[in-house]
Amino acid sequence: MTVTRRTLSAVAALSVAVCLTAACSHDDHPGSSSGTAGRAYQIWDPYPQFDDSSAWVTLLRKCGADAGVTVKRTSFDTTDLTNKTLLAAQQGNSPDVLIVDNPVVSTLAEAGVLTSTADTKIDTSAVAPNLLAAGQLDGKTYGIPIGANTLALYYNKRVLAAAKVDPATVKDWASLTAALAKVKAAGRKGITFSAIGTEEGSFQFLPWFWGAGANLTQLDSAQGVAALTLWTDWLKQGYAPNSVLNNTQTTSWQEFASGTFGFAENGTWQLANAKKAGFEYGILPIPAQGGGTAPAPTGGEFVTAPVQSDTGRYATAEKLIGCLTSADNALATDTTLSYVAAAQAVRQQQVAANPDLRVWAEAVQAAKGRTSDNLGTRYPKISEPMWTAFQAALSGSKSPHDALAAAQTTAAAATR
């Protein structure tokens, strides 16, 4: 597999202004592929919150030792990691193993940065197909998910009890809206979520959009309009606050943590905060319009193997990736990263150890990658018009239909 230099040059010129020498040098790559003992292999990850004493870094070292090599780990925040990866590939200094946010996989694959699992012989057979799809493009798979997170509805048991709402009755949009009406009538606030004009907002809109049966290739379908009408009606009725227009997922959580809301749309990453909130909470899957669990978008990273000029390094990279994603290590790894496991067998172990994860396991089982359906790098060109549309509708400047019709025109032109 050959790196597309022209593509990389264009992308890197747009997204990278400065390269730190320490991050971009790859002096540990020897010129020959013969022998691995004692050699250093580079792993880049998006987990700067974990220092060298963490369980995560301990696992990286163990996987290196098991493969007979030394692991050198470099950590970046998510956006910086993508930029550094593109520039490193352009310069021929890619890491051996790259752990990257799943929507970025198709961008890097299209730019020629990543090997496919067929090239490196990475075994993906245990991974749920809906999770693996986030790393697929044009019939090829690029890496393997290390775990997944997604969205569900947290609820405040005290608020719902005061409003005489049984959370077990929330099965579809109609029953959820009826519950919100009761919560408001009882003097509390209904639901908070993030509808900010960024990818965070799109991430939170997608369960309702997909839960109506809409498709990202046709934003202004009747189903898409129904999803946006649901959100706008909630604001009009006072079931959701106007602050959702500016809420990130963090500020939305802070609203819920105040104890005044019945429901909040948020993710697995808030579980630790939920336990500190000072009130009893529960979790429900996000309902589809007609009932059942709506497909929520998958978050989480893929473990990938970037293209190397020395193809002899792939065998050891495969060993490192296999170790990081093995069933033996995945339980501890996903617990550390607050993820639900990508493999069903490991997910069952997680739920057995922590029953609070049952709803999350069900949500992940129904989840969908944002770049799935072979959207790949077209997804960001669709997501931005989509968030522009729901911002316009929620602010009242356009109707849901008109907002999504304009979004469809923009997205269609951008993805031709």
Side-chain angles (χ1 to χ4, degrees):
M1 186 173 182
T2 303
V3 178
T4 309
R5 300 294 179 189
R6 181 178 298 176
T7 303
L8 285 171
S9 296
V11 175
L14 288 171
S15 60
V16 184
V18 178
C19 177
L20 300 177
T21 302
C24 294
S25 80
H26 209 173
D27 295 336
D28 298 300
H29 270 196
S32 168
S33 61
S34 59
T36 59
R39 289 169 52 182
Y41 276 66
Q42 295 274 358
I43 296 180
W44 289 5
D45 71 43
Y47 311 130
Q49 68 270 35
F50 297 126
D51 63 21
D52 287 349
S53 66
S54 66
W56 168 246
V57 176
T58 299
L59 175 61
L60 294 181
R61 289 174 178 152
K62 177 184 181 300
C63 288
D66 290 350
V69 298
T70 300
V71 163
K72 288 201 171 181
R73 176 242 187 177
T74 308
S75 186
F76 305 96
D77 67 56
T78 297
T79 300
D80 204 25
L81 177 60
T82 303
N83 294 340
K84 292 293 193 298
T85 298
L86 287 165
L87 189 55
Q90 184 187 19
Q91 297 176 337
N93 292 325
S94 294
D96 295 283
V97 176
L98 172 69
I99 302 166
V100 65
D101 197 17
N102 75 71
V104 179
V105 173
S106 58
T107 299
L108 297 179
E110 187 171 90
V113 174
L114 303 178
T115 62
S116 73
T117 54
D119 296 328
T120 52
K121 314 303 180 191
I122 295 168
D123 182 8
T124 62
S125 59
V127 180
N130 65 316
L131 300 183
L132 197 62
Q136 293 174 330
L137 183 68
D138 296 331
K140 293 184 177 181
T141 303
Y142 296 89
I144 181 170
I146 199 166
N149 56 32
T150 193
L151 297 165
L153 293 179
Y154 288 85
Y155 61 88
N156 184 319
K157 291 185 177 182
R158 186 188 315 148
V159 169
L160 295 196
K164 296 183 170 51
V165 171
D166 179 358
T169 63
V170 176
K171 301 290 188 182
D172 53 22
W173 289 4
S175 55
L176 175 57
T177 301
L180 299 180
K182 289 182 178 179
V183 170
K184 182 189 176 190
R188 294 301 180 95
K189 300 172 184 177
I191 187 168
T192 178
F193 51 89
S194 170
I196 194 170
T198 68
E199 182 57 28
E200 282 191 77
S202 290
F203 190 77
Q204 292 234 323
F205 182 59
L206 281 172
W208 313 100
F209 184 81
W210 283 334
N215 190 296
L216 284 168
T217 58
Q218 192 63 48
L219 294 175
D220 61 346
S221 66
Q223 294 88 347
V225 172
L228 187 47
T229 300
L230 178 74
W231 266 18
T232 54
D233 283 352
W234 284 351
L235 263 69
K236 288 177 183 176
Q237 297 296 327
Y239 302 156
N242 289 328
S243 59
V244 300
L245 278 156
N246 297 310
N247 270 348
T248 64
Q249 294 182 105
T250 298
T251 56
S252 173
W253 178 261
Q254 289 167 348
E255 287 184 334
F256 179 68
S258 70
T260 59
F261 281 85
F263 296 89
E265 179 183 357
N266 228 297
T268 47
W269 54 89
Q270 297 294 2
L271 271 174
N273 287 329
K275 292 172 182 176
K276 301 174 186 175
F279 54 80
E280 285 191 276
Y281 70 93
I283 305 166
L284 291 170
I286 296 175
Q289 182 178 23
T293 299
T298 54
E301 288 78 40
F302 266 59
V303 191
T304 67
V307 172
Q308 305 293 335
S309 58
D310 179 1
T311 59
R313 299 181 72 85
Y314 293 153
T316 299
E318 187 277 331
K319 290 178 183 177
L320 293 171
I321 293 170
C323 176
L324 291 173
T325 59
S326 71
D328 289 342
N329 292 325
L331 182 61
T333 299
D334 289 331
T335 299
T336 297
L337 300 176
S338 297
Y339 284 156
V340 174
Q344 177 68 20
V346 181
R347 222 177 290 160
Q348 290 172 347
Q349 293 180 60
Q350 286 183 302
V351 172
N354 182 2
D356 285 349
L357 291 176
R358 182 175 302 279
V359 170
W360 296 111
E362 292 171 0
V364 163
Q365 189 169 336
K368 185 174 180 177
R370 284 163 279 176
T371 58
S372 296
D373 300 327
N374 210 38
L375 285 178
T377 55
R378 290 184 293 159
Y379 171 73
K381 299 172 184 178
I382 296 169
S383 177
E384 184 168 355
M386 182 169 66
W387 81 55
T388 301
F390 60 65
Q391 281 265 304
L394 292 172
S395 66
S397 65
K398 289 184 180 179
S399 69
H401 177 273
D402 290 349
L404 287 171
Q408 177 59 28
T409 299
T410 302
T415 55
R416 282 189 187 128

